[in-house]
Every structure is written in C-alpha cells, then in structure tokens.
Amino acid sequence: MLEQGTISIHTENIFPIIKKSLYSDHQIFLRELVSNAVDAIQKLKMVSRAGDYAGDIGEPEIEIAIDKDKKTLSISDNGIGMTADEVKKYINQVAFSSAEEFIHKYEGKSDQPIIGHFGLGFYSSFMVAQKVEIDTLSYQEGAQAVHWTCDGSPAFTLEESSRTTRGTTIILSLQGEEEEFLESARIKNLVKTYCDFLPVPIKLDGEVINKQKAPWRESPSNLTQEDYLEFYRYLYPFQEEPLLWVHLNTDYPFIINGILYFPKMRPDVDVTKGQIKLFCNQVFVSDNCEEIIPQFLMPMRGVIDSTDIPLNVSRSALQGDRTVKRIGDYIAKKVGDRLKELFRDNREQYISAWKDLGTFVKFGVLNDEKFKKQIEDIIVFRTTAKLTEKVAAETPVVEVQSSDGDAWQDVTPSPSSDSTPIAPYTTLKEYLERNKERNENRVFYSTDETTQTTYIELHKNQGLEVLFMDSFIDTHFINFLEREYQDVKFTRVDSDLDNTLLEQDKDKEIVDPKTNKTRSETIKELFEKSLNKPKLNIRTEALKSDDPHGTPPAIVLLPEILLRLREMSAMMQQGTAEFPEDHILLVNTAHPLIQNLANLNQGSIIQGDGESSTNQLVNLICQHVYDLALMSQKGFDAEGMKSFVERSNEVLTKLTEQASK
C-alpha cells in the first residue's frame, strides 16, 4: 500500500461539497464525471501539441459500463491520467481546481476548452455512491498506475494498480436507492440531456450515444440552412419551423456562442417561461435562461453557451450579477441589430414574420429603453392603405454575428421568385408622411377588425387610412405611442367621426312648415321618444357616401377616454366591461331606412287607444336600429341579447302582417 490517510478539508475548500445541496437531482453526478473525462482527453491533446508527449494519443473516447450484479457504474476515458502525486493533490485536497492550474500552464497553446468549472466535480459522485474508486495511469513515461478508494468518509486508501492503459476509470458502487442508474435507458437519457454535444464519443455497451457535434460551435460557413433547421427540430420536436435565427459567435466583450431562433408563436405558449437552453463548454446546464435573457426575449428558443456566466450561485445572485446583466443587454442588442438588418434588406420577410414577432418586440420597447431606441423606427402596423408590398414564400433567414470585426454575414439562401400577396404594413412615420396633407398629425386606428368593420369602411370610403392595433399588448402600446409622439392625436375609428365623413350641408335642410323643424330634428325626436334613454346622446348626421345603402343606419360612438378605460377594465377583470350608459347614438339621416322610417312616422294615425300599429312598428324599428348599432360595440349583456332577439322577432312579425294585408 502506497499510503493511507484522511482527505484534507479546509475552510477555503469545503464549499463545493456544501454546494451539492443546491441540486435537487442526484443525476447531476454523471454530467460532472463525463465532463471530467472530456477534460482529461483535452488535456492530453494539449500536452501533445505542446511537445510534452510524443506517444500516440489514439482515438479519444469515453466508455460507460454497467454491472448489475456488482451494482457498479463506471466511466472510463483514454485521456491524460494521473500519477499518485496528482491523485493526492487533486483528489485528496477537496475542490483544488486542477483545471484552473492546467489552463494557466498551457494557456495559449490550444483552443480546446477545459470544462471543469462546475464546482462539484468529482465529489458529486458521493451523492449516489457508497464507495468510489479511481483506477488511473498517467501519460508520463514510466508512471505507475494507482488505485484510490473512498467510502464517503474522510478516510481513503491509495495503492498501486495493475492497469496498463493510459487514462482513468471511475467506479461507483451505487447506494441501494440509486440503482436506477444501472438501467441503460436511464444512462442514455442523461447523456442526451447533459452531454449530447460534447466533442468526444461517449459509448455504452459499444454504442456511441451522443451527437458530439455542437452546431453553435461550428463556423457559420460550414452550416447549411438545413443544418440550422435540423438542429431546431432536434431541440424542439413536433414544432413548426422557426421564422429566422441569429448565430452568435464572439469572444468579445464576452465569450458567447449560440443560435437563437424566432419561433412561430402558438396560443398555448407561456411567454413568461424561458425556452433557451444554457450550456457551458457544450455541457448542458439549464433548460432556460430566465435570469440571463431579458424578459421580452423569453419567447425565443435555442442555445446560449458561455463560460462567463457564473453557474453555482443562487438565482437572485445571478440576476444581480453585473456581467450577466451586460450579457443580457448584449444579446438584446444583437437581436435588435438582426431585426433592423432584416427590415432594411428584406422587408417582405420581416413583415411576414411580424405577426409572430410583433407582440414581444413591442413588449421589449415598453420595457427596455435601449432596445426601444434601436428598433422604434421599424415597428410596423397593418394598414388599410393599398400598398404594393409582396412577401416571398416563407424561407427562414439567418445572419451570423462573427468575431471578425463584429460584422454580420448573410448566409441565407436566395428566395425563390414566387411571391404571395400579403396585407400591407407600414411604420408610423410612413403613415404620418403619407397622410400629412389630408389629416396631419392624426392617426385613425382600429382595435378589432371584425366588430369595427362598419367604422373602418366609413373611413376607407372617404380615403382615410386606418391602422390596426389589435394585439392584446396594443392597449398599453397606444399610450406609449402618445408619449413618444406628443404632437400626434390617436383616434379610434369608433370614438368619433372626422368631419370628412359627414355631409356639411345641414343649413340647406328643408324645414317642415307644419312643425317648423328640419328632417334631422324630427328624426332625433323620434329616436329620443322611442328609446326613452335620458343618458343617451342622440346625434343626427348624414354620413358621406356615394352609395347610402352601403352605410349603416346608425352607429354608436364612445369617447376615446371611455373606450380605453373600458378595455383596461376588461383586461384587469379578465372579461368584458359593462357598457357605459353615457354614449352617443349617431343616426345616419342619409340612409334610406332612416328616411323611410321618418316618412312612416309622419303617415301614422293615432287611434283611439293612443297608438296605431304603425306607431308600434316605428318604435320597434328605432329600437332595432339602436340594437344593431350596439352590437358593433359589444354593448349587449345576456339580458340585452335576449331582448334583442325578442324585438327582432316582433319586428319581423309586424312587417309580415302588414305585407299580407
């Protein structure tokens, strides 16, 4: 026996053992041991390149073996190995960082990363094993193989070994409650989770079980569009193809490699949960980057690999880390750069992707001042203007940020000549410039194309351009736009009508000599009497149109402030807000229905019981016109809808009665 003693544990190196309590899953041990094995192989390559080893390093590999009879799991590598002195130094002195010392010695002699920065390292094996053995032979000429054994207590034994092959084998005698790690399927799953992209073949029962190639560490020029798509499919199976992606590959001001994808958004996606996987030197660390990525980029997917992100710290400490904050800002900037690049060079593709990108881009503008300044000029809105834009058939786009001069390389295949018409989109500045002569510094917008279609058509027919601000975030975003453009007035199409939409010839209306009232005044009194709603403000106007039949007989208007308060209230209550009693009913005196109604009212005869059947029909039609106008504002509750159906049936009944006479 070479030596017998106790492991040295001091105040300054006990923390890695304590830190194992940070992990809720014991499975992390396999990541640590395989990472150490990869380190050993990389170290051998480094000393060989430095001329300190003249032997054949052979084909690197890591072998995992399971012995169910002995209840052991072993991890073997053909790397650098250890001498007895190195075992004493690196194993017996807990948490002494051999990786750090080795890096300093061979700094600048290899571009291969050394992984050993996780903190737990070798001693994580005691989370699952009742006994751990190391059998190792150093690469050094004439070295003696040694065997180290420890049962989890400070006591250890170190003796000579009969091993003849260079490298190291770790043998774990598993605890009874940890025998799940004797199942091949379990080990394969763990390797796929944590070690799939490590650059060394990992074998189990002679079969290579890891992919080895990490696309984000490849030169972008070596990757095809299909490579990027295939990687996305591998990370996120059964998902739609991504819209576009950004390949990050830089070592300044941080070491960051990664591929970030813009996915198509689905209604069931929780945008508050991160989708980006965090790696460190190709070793999987976490399923999300919530503490690293700005919140508005949470919907993005892909991989970030960095050695500059501290791993063994609490979430709160990670959030407060200055370097992590700068990394987050850096990634946000690169995403902004990518969007600007696409808007400038391929606007059709940008617009095609906007339906999915728009919501979280706007969220970023609302929450990140730097990001806002970057992309505020490329925020687009669907518009009623007849623009001539077309979009190429959806082809994912990639641009790569390289380490050479921080320049962007476009490696996107040329789009096909086929194109598909899309709804036109415009920026706010383009809208204002296009409409400055007709309605300077005024923006007409719609929040619901379906329910507000009547109002939209009124504006379109008179040449007024309408923007659609109909995503759930736009309630907040309109307020933001008003702060940014303080000299611009934003008017929802159903809040009030521009004078352009109205006939301005009321003074020419004929006055009835019998009543000394104009037609408009008569119609207003008719609706006031029929509806009997003191808080309802009834206006009579003639809507301008070449075809009066194409305009509505009446519309309901709400002041802009009430519309916004109603939407905000509905959002907070998770439902539809109560329709306010104080609103405007604008009756269109140019519509044939309203004119016929006025004529019908004039010809009605009061009978002995006080009201003729014609009077009853007139009142019902007034109520029906009002009901139809309310529907476009979602002004009905359940009881209101019930009354509407009943009145509709009554109107139809009376009309058929008169027609059959």
Side-chain angles (χ1 to χ4, degrees):
M1 183 177 295
L2 295 174
E3 188 169 345
Q4 187 171 359
T6 58
I7 298 170
S8 173
I9 300 179
H10 304 293
T11 303
E12 68 271 17
N13 59 28
I14 197 172
F15 291 105
I17 294 179
I18 297 174
K19 284 178 182 176
K20 74 180 181 180
S21 63
L22 293 175
Y23 296 96
S24 58
D25 296 326
H26 288 180
Q27 65 189 31
I28 210 76
F29 82 94
L30 190 66
R31 180 191 76 179
E32 297 297 318
L33 295 182
V34 172
S35 297
N36 287 347
V38 174
D39 275 353
I41 290 170
Q42 304 295 15
K43 289 177 181 179
L44 182 64
K45 292 180 179 179
M46 292 166 73
V47 297
S48 178
R49 290 173 183 173
D52 293 342
Y53 178 61
D56 181 14
I57 62 175
E59 290 296 324
E61 68 175 28
I62 297 168
E63 180 73 39
I64 300 176
I66 296 172
D67 190 325
K68 290 189 175 182
D69 293 333
K70 295 181 179 179
K71 297 182 180 180
T72 61
L73 177 71
S74 61
I75 297 93
S76 302
D77 67 71
N78 57 354
I80 198 168
M82 290 183 287
T83 64
D85 288 339
E86 288 171 334
V87 170
K88 296 175 190 177
K89 182 176 183 179
Y90 300 141
I91 302 299
N92 294 346
Q93 296 183 31
V94 174
F96 189 99
S97 180
S98 60
E100 291 289 347
E101 181 184 11
F102 195 89
I103 287 174
H104 289 312
K105 181 177 179 181
Y106 289 97
E107 189 171 9
K109 296 183 180 179
S110 175
D111 58 357
Q112 293 292 332
I114 299 297
I115 298 170
H117 295 281
F118 289 101
L120 281 179
F122 166 75
Y123 275 84
S124 64
S125 57
F126 285 101
M127 293 191 293
V128 298
Q130 58 185 346
K131 182 176 71 173
V132 179
E133 301 170 70
I134 302 174
D135 196 56
T136 182
L137 175 61
S138 172
Y139 76 98
Q140 297 178 24
E141 187 175 354
Q144 170 63 51
V146 294
H147 192 94
W148 179 93
T149 305
C150 180
D151 62 2
S153 69
F156 73 89
T157 60
L158 181 64
E159 53 192 354
E160 293 184 354
S161 167
S162 59
R163 182 186 183 108
T164 58
T165 57
R166 183 199 66 241
T168 300
T169 300
I170 309 293
I171 306 105
L172 310 181
S173 297
L174 296 176
Q175 301 169 18
E177 63 271 22
E178 306 292 349
E179 292 181 9
E180 63 179 284
F181 299 113
L182 295 175
E183 300 297 328
S184 296
R186 182 77 167 108
I187 297 302
K188 287 182 179 180
N189 180 262
L190 290 180
V191 169
K192 180 177 180 180
T193 298
Y194 293 105
C195 311
D196 211 13
F197 300 102
L198 285 172
V200 177
I202 301 172
K203 295 182 178 180
L204 177 65
D205 299 326
E207 174 192 1
V208 177
I209 58 174
N210 67 320
K211 293 178 71 70
Q212 302 170 55
K213 178 182 176 181
W216 65 89
R217 299 298 294 265
E218 295 285 322
S219 169
S221 60
N222 294 336
L223 297 175
T224 65
Q225 175 181 308
E226 185 58 29
D227 290 331
Y228 286 106
L229 291 174
E230 189 62 36
F231 182 50
Y232 184 83
R233 296 172 193 138
Y234 180 75
L235 293 176
Y236 309 101
F238 311 113
Q239 300 294 311
E240 292 185 83
E241 301 288 68
L243 299 167
L244 51 107
W245 53 81
V246 180
H247 190 150
L248 298 176
N249 183 5
T250 184
D251 55 9
Y252 181 83
F254 317 99
I255 299 176
I256 293 180
N257 297 279
I259 303 173
L260 300 181
Y261 294 87
F262 292 88
K264 286 190 174 182
M265 298 298 290
R266 292 169 45 184
D268 59 345
V269 172
D270 186 349
V271 297
T272 64
K273 293 186 177 179
Q275 300 284 317
I276 299 173
K277 300 178 185 293
L278 176 62
F279 284 71
C280 180
N281 282 333
Q282 298 167 240
V283 180
F284 174 75
V285 177
S286 174
D287 241 334
N288 60 70
C289 301
E290 292 181 14
E291 291 75 38
I292 302 165
I293 299 296
Q295 189 177 9
F296 70 90
L297 294 181
M298 287 298 178
M300 295 190 72
R301 296 177 179 175
V303 166
I304 288 177
D305 191 333
S306 175
T307 56
D308 288 317
I309 299 172
L311 301 176
N312 287 329
V313 296
S314 67
R315 298 180 66 176
S316 59
L318 194 60
Q319 289 173 330
D321 186 271
R322 182 175 299 178
T323 299
V324 170
K325 176 66 170 63
R326 291 174 62 202
I327 289 175
D329 291 343
Y330 174 81
I331 294 172
K333 181 182 182 301
K334 293 307 175 186
V335 170
D337 288 343
R338 176 67 192 98
L339 294 174
K340 289 172 63 178
E341 188 91 8
L342 183 59
F343 179 83
R344 185 183 68 242
D345 296 342
N346 194 339
R347 182 157 173 168
E348 293 83 0
Q349 182 72 30
Y350 179 86
I351 289 173
S352 177
W354 183 256
K355 181 178 178 181
D356 296 276
L357 301 179
T359 296
F360 72 83
V361 169
K362 290 175 183 175
F363 185 65
V365 168
L366 291 174
N367 290 275
D368 189 308
E369 182 67 20
K370 293 179 181 177
F371 187 73
K372 184 206 81 173
K373 290 180 179 179
Q374 252 191 301
I375 60 91
E376 59 186 345
D377 291 335
I378 64 170
I379 297 169
V380 295
F381 304 91
R382 190 161 58 92
T383 176
T384 58
K386 293 183 179 180
L387 306 179
T388 57
E389 294 168 333
K390 288 181 179 290
V391 62
E394 290 189 4
T395 302
V397 177
V398 60
E399 285 208 0
V400 181
Q401 181 256 322
S402 69
S403 56
D404 299 330
D406 199 27
W408 289 93
Q409 306 169 18
D410 188 352
V411 296
T412 308
S414 300
S416 67
S417 58
D418 297 334
S419 61
T420 306
I422 62 165
Y425 280 73
T426 183
T427 67
L428 189 56
K429 287 185 177 180
E430 291 168 344
Y431 175 96
L432 293 171
E433 177 65 25
R434 194 162 48 245
N435 294 282
K436 65 180 180 180
E437 293 184 2
R438 179 152 191 157
N439 50 291
E440 184 176 7
N441 287 345
R442 189 170 183 185
V443 175
F444 299 102
Y445 71 94
S446 166
T447 58
D448 190 325
E449 183 177 10
T450 301
T451 62
Q452 295 164 15
T453 183
T454 298
Y455 305 89
I456 295 168
E457 288 301 314
L458 286 175
H459 287 72
K460 286 173 59 179
N461 290 339
Q462 298 305 316
L464 296 178
E465 181 179 354
V466 178
L467 298 183
F468 293 98
M469 301 183 183
D470 48 8
S471 70
F472 71 90
I473 199 173
D474 281 334
T475 300
H476 303 283
F477 201 70
I478 293 168
N479 294 330
F480 159 78
L481 291 174
E482 287 182 322
R483 293 193 302 270
E484 293 294 307
Y485 298 86
Q486 296 185 9
D487 58 338
V488 176
K489 181 180 180 181
F490 289 80
T491 304
R492 203 168 108 170
V493 290
D494 54 349
S495 66
D496 201 356
L497 296 185
D498 186 74
N499 289 333
T500 310
L501 305 176
L502 305 174
E503 294 286 0
Q504 304 296 324
D505 58 355
K506 275 195 171 185
D507 293 339
K508 299 179 182 179
E509 276 199 84
I510 298 175
V511 177
D512 187 339
K514 295 180 181 179
T515 61
N516 203 31
K517 297 176 182 177
T518 65
R519 172 63 69 94
S520 294
E521 290 170 338
T522 302
I523 292 172
K524 180 177 181 179
E525 288 184 358
L526 174 61
F527 272 85
E528 286 176 341
K529 179 182 176 183
S530 298
L531 300 179
N532 191 25
K533 292 181 177 291
K535 292 186 177 182
L536 177 63
N537 181 7
I538 297 176
R539 284 171 48 189
T540 49
E541 302 278 2
L543 296 180
K544 189 183 294 185
S545 174
D546 294 334
D547 178 17
H549 289 275
T551 59
I555 56 177
V556 168
L557 301 173
L558 283 176
E560 184 83 21
I561 184 67
L562 279 181
L563 287 169
R564 298 195 192 180
L565 287 174
R566 188 167 181 248
E567 287 187 347
M568 291 295 293
S569 177
M571 184 177 296
M572 290 186 289
Q573 295 174 8
Q574 299 291 313
T576 303
E578 184 177 346
F579 195 79
E581 289 185 316
D582 296 321
H583 55 273
I584 298 169
L585 175 65
L586 189 148
V587 181
N588 178 15
T589 58
H591 195 282
L593 171 60
I594 301 303
Q595 294 176 352
N596 293 340
L597 187 62
N599 294 334
L600 187 63
N601 181 63
Q602 286 181 344
S604 63
I605 300 174
I606 304 297
Q607 296 179 340
D609 57 2
E611 189 175 35
S612 69
S613 60
T614 302
N615 284 131
Q616 293 175 3
L617 179 60
V618 167
N619 290 334
L620 282 172
I621 292 177
C622 286
Q623 183 66 60
H624 194 72
V625 168
Y626 176 54
D627 287 344
L628 291 173
L630 271 179
M631 290 183 71
S632 65
Q633 284 282 14
K634 300 181 180 178
F636 281 153
D637 56 15
E639 186 60 33
M641 179 57 73
K642 178 175 177 292
S643 299
F644 167 70
V645 173
E646 291 174 350
R647 281 191 296 270
S648 298
N649 292 331
E650 190 174 356
V651 168
L652 293 173
T653 300
K654 288 188 176 296
L655 287 173
T656 54
E657 285 176 353
Q658 289 198 2
S660 62
K661 289 180 180 179

